[in-house]
Amino acid sequence: MGAEVNAKSFTREQRTRYRERLMVNLETFARYLGSGAFDPVRRIGLEIELNLANPDFTPALRNTEVLEAIADPAFQTEIGAFNIEFNHDAVQIEGRGLLNLEESLRHELDHAVAAAKDVDVNILLVGILPTLDQDFIHSKNWISPGKRYAALNTSVLQARGEDVLIDIVGQERLSFYVANIAPEAACTSVQLHLQVSPEEFAPVWNSAQVIAGAQVALAANSPMFMERVLWHESRIEVFKQSIDTRPPEMRNQGVRPRVWFGERWITSILDLFEENVRYFPALLPELSRKRSETTASGAPQLHELRLHNGTVYRWNRPIYDPGGDLPNLRLENRLLPAGPTVVDTVANAAFFFGLMRALRTADRPLWSRMSFQTATDNFLDCARYGLEANVYWPGLGEIPVTELIIRHLLPLAAEGLEDLGVDKAVADRYLKILYERAHTEQNGAAWQIETLRVLEERGLDRKAAIAEMTRLYNENMLGSQPVHTWKIG
C-alpha cells in the first residue's frame, strides 16, 4: 500500500498546500524528463500479495503475528489484517533469469508457509480468499495497524460521503453496503515491474493496455466473493467499487473512478501524471518534511507526486523512483491475481515480459490499429468470462481469447523472450504451461468454479463446499503443479 504517513486525517489548509506542491512537482518532473539522466539497466521485479487463513480456511486476522514468525523484511503488511505482501528483489531476465526467479520465489514462500504453520496459519496464493463472508466485512478488526491504512479508509469514505456499495452481477448477483473499504483488502494481486527509459514508456504502456484482456483471461483466479460466483476475475470489479470515491451523482456526471483502466493512448509518461493531478483529489495530502528535495545524483524526490500516484489505482501504473545513484521509470502491471502456484505466477510473468518486448518494437504498433474503447471492452469481457471470452483483435476481428493466445500471442511472447536473451529451454518451460492452460481452458477461476459445482452436487451446502474447495486449492497449491493439471473435486 506504499509508504506510511504521519496522520489519519488532514485539514483544508493541508489539502490546499498539497495541491500547490503537486503542481510544482509536476513541472519539475516535466523538466527532468527532458534533460535528466535515468538508470539505463533494464530490470524486472515482482510483488505478491498473500492471504492468511485459519486451519478451517476462514480468514486469519493475524498478519502482525505471522510477520513476526517469518522475520524477513521482504514480507510486509497490507491493508487487510489477513494479508501480507512479499517484495522480490529486481532481477535480470536474460539467460536463466526467469528460472532463477521461480526458484527464489519458491524458496521464500516455502519459508513463509512453514513459519506461518508454526502459528497455525495457512498462506494462500489466490486472487480473493473464497471463504470471506459478511462477518469479515463488518468486523472492526479487518484493518492492519498503521496510519496510512486508517487515513485511506477515512479519506475514501469522506470523499464518497456515504457507505460503500458493492453491486456486481456475474453468474450470481451480489449487492450490499459496507461502512468501510474492507472489500479492497479482499483483492490480492501479483504486480510485475518493468524498468524502461523515458522514450520507451509510452509504447510500453500502450502495448500493456492492448494485451490486458488476454493477460487477465489467461490468469483469472478470483471467481468468488462473499460466497457468490461472480466474474472469473471478480477482483477487477470488487477493487473498483470498494474504493470508489464517487457517489452515484458523480458517476452519472462522468467523473473518473479511482481504479481506472484509462481513456486514451499516451505519448509520454507525463500524460499519466498530468491526468492524476488534473482528475483526482488527494486522498493522503501529506507534505514532505525532507530537507533535500533532490537525491545525491540531482534527481528530484517528487514526494507529493509519488504519494499521490500511489492513490490512483491504474491497472498499468507509471512509477517514478528517484533511486540511489540514478532514478528509474517503471511500468507496474497490477491486473494479475495472486496464484495459483509459483510456477503459474512465473509463467504469467514470462507472457507479459515477452509480449512487452515484442510489441513495443513492432513496425506498426497494435495500439495504433485499435481504439482505446476496444481495449477497455476486451479487458472487462475477459475479466467477466476468463478463457471463455471473445475479444476483438486488429486484422482478426472477433475471436475466442483462447485462439488469440495460442495462435498469436504465445508465438509473439516467444519472439520477445528470445530477443531479451532468455534461454530457449527456460522460455519453452513457461510458454508450454501457458499453452496447456489455454488449450484445456483451466485456469484458477475455472478450477474453482467447477470444483464448487461438483462439491455442491455431492450434497454440501454453499459454505461447506467453499471451505472444502479452499482446502483442496491449498493442497494443490502446495503441490506446486501448474493449475491446468489440477483434478476437479
Side-chain angles (χ1 to χ4, degrees), residues 102 106 110 340-344 429 433 473-483 485-486:
E102 180 188 343
R106 195 181 308 280
D110 283 351
T341 66
V342 168
V343 70
D344 284 308
R429 167 179 170 77
I433 288 170
Y473 181 101
N474 183 64
E475 185 177 281
N476 281 301
M477 182 199 77
L478 294 175
S480 299
Q481 294 303 307
V483 70
T485 68
W486 292 9

Side-chain angles (χ1 to χ4, degrees), residues 357-430:
R357 181 68 175 187
L359 294 179
R360 73 185 179 197
T361 57
D363 292 334
R364 190 181 176 199
L366 276 170
W367 50 268
S368 69
R369 294 179 279 149
M370 177 189 289
S371 73
F372 196 91
Q373 185 58 52
T374 297
T376 305
D377 292 343
N378 284 347
F379 175 64
L380 293 176
D381 285 346
C382 288
R384 287 188 181 98
Y385 304 115
L387 289 171
E388 299 173 6
N390 291 326
V391 296
Y392 176 85
W393 204 254
L396 302 175
E398 188 167 311
I399 182 174
V401 73
T402 50
E403 183 178 346
L404 175 68
I405 290 167
I406 291 171
R407 294 181 55 190
H408 302 280
L409 296 186
L410 287 177
L412 268 178
E415 291 177 14
L417 292 173
E418 181 181 12
D419 195 35
L420 286 167
V422 176
D423 285 356
K424 187 176 187 304
V426 173
D428 288 349
R429 167 179 170 77
Y430 299 112

Side-chain angles (χ1 to χ4, degrees), residues 23-55:
M23 297 305 299
V24 172
N25 276 198
L26 189 62
E27 292 171 2
T28 302
F29 185 47
R31 288 195 300 271
Y32 192 81
L33 280 174
S35 59
F38 288 86
D39 185 351
V41 179
R42 300 294 178 259
R43 299 181 180 88
I44 62 171
L46 179 148
E47 304 169 45
I48 304 179
E49 295 166 349
L50 308 166
N51 288 279
L52 307 179
N54 294 310

Side-chain angles (χ1 to χ4, degrees), residues 4 9 33 35 58 61 126 174 188-189 207 235 247 256 263 272 291 320 324 349 373 383 391 449 461 465:
E4 182 61 287
S9 61
L33 280 174
S35 59
T58 56
L61 307 179
V126 63
L174 176 68
T188 45
S189 66
S207 297
R235 198 181 104 266
R256 294 158 181 85
E263 62 188 15
L272 301 178
R291 294 182 180 179
Y320 166 75
Q373 185 58 52
V391 296
I449 292 168
D461 63 25

Side-chain angles (χ1 to χ4, degrees), residues 160-387:
R160 187 181 177 89
E162 58 189 58
D163 287 350
V164 174
L165 172 64
I166 303 296
D167 189 6
I168 303 174
V169 179
Q171 292 189 27
E172 298 172 349
R173 173 75 180 270
L174 176 68
S175 185
F176 66 93
Y177 283 93
V178 61
N180 53 46
I181 62 169
E184 191 274 344
C187 306
T188 45
S189 66
V190 169
Q191 296 151 27
L192 304 176
H193 288 249
L194 176 61
Q195 186 171 319
V196 296
S197 68
E199 297 76 22
E200 294 173 313
F201 192 90
V204 167
W205 188 86
N206 290 340
S207 297
Q209 297 289 98
V210 167
I211 67 159
Q215 196 185 359
V216 77
L218 193 54
N221 194 32
S222 313
M224 295 175 208
F225 182 55
M226 296 291 107
E227 303 179 334
R228 298 288 189 276
V229 180
L230 302 171
W231 295 9
H232 281 232
E233 190 48 43
S234 306
R235 198 181 104 266
I236 300 299
E237 191 65 11
V238 172
F239 191 66
K240 176 183 174 181
Q241 293 187 18
S242 63
I243 52 174
D244 195 344
T245 56
R246 307 167 302 167
E249 296 81 6
M250 292 297 183
R251 291 199 297 273
N252 293 336
Q253 292 175 37
V255 173
R256 294 158 181 85
R258 206 84 195 187
V259 177
W260 199 31
F261 187 74
E263 62 188 15
R264 64 184 178 115
W265 307 120
I266 65 169
T267 59
S268 165
I269 189 174
L270 188 63
D271 293 347
L272 301 178
F273 282 97
E274 285 180 333
E275 288 178 348
N276 288 356
V277 174
R278 184 183 308 124
Y279 297 146
F280 300 103
L283 289 181
L284 303 174
E286 182 168 282
L287 295 170
S288 172
R289 297 179 181 178
K290 293 182 178 179
R291 294 182 180 179
S292 174
E293 294 300 321
T294 61
T295 66
S297 68
Q301 294 280 2
L302 306 180
H303 167 82
E304 290 80 14
L305 191 67
R306 291 188 293 120
L307 179 60
H308 186 55
N309 184 53
T311 64
V312 179
Y313 302 94
R314 297 178 184 271
W315 293 112
N316 284 300
R317 177 188 277 169
I319 301 290
Y320 166 75
D321 185 343
D325 295 332
L326 286 173
N328 66 76
L329 300 179
R330 302 194 303 274
L331 175 73
E332 182 186 32
N333 179 255
R334 301 167 48 82
L335 56 88
L336 293 178
T341 66
V342 168
V343 70
D344 284 308
T345 298
V346 179
N348 293 339
F351 185 66
F352 175 72
F353 293 129
L355 282 175
M356 287 300 92
R357 181 68 175 187
L359 294 179
R360 73 185 179 197
T361 57
D363 292 334
R364 190 181 176 199
L366 276 170
W367 50 268
S368 69
R369 294 179 279 149
M370 177 189 289
S371 73
F372 196 91
Q373 185 58 52
T374 297
T376 305
D377 292 343
N378 284 347
F379 175 64
L380 293 176
D381 285 346
C382 288
R384 287 188 181 98
Y385 304 115
L387 289 171

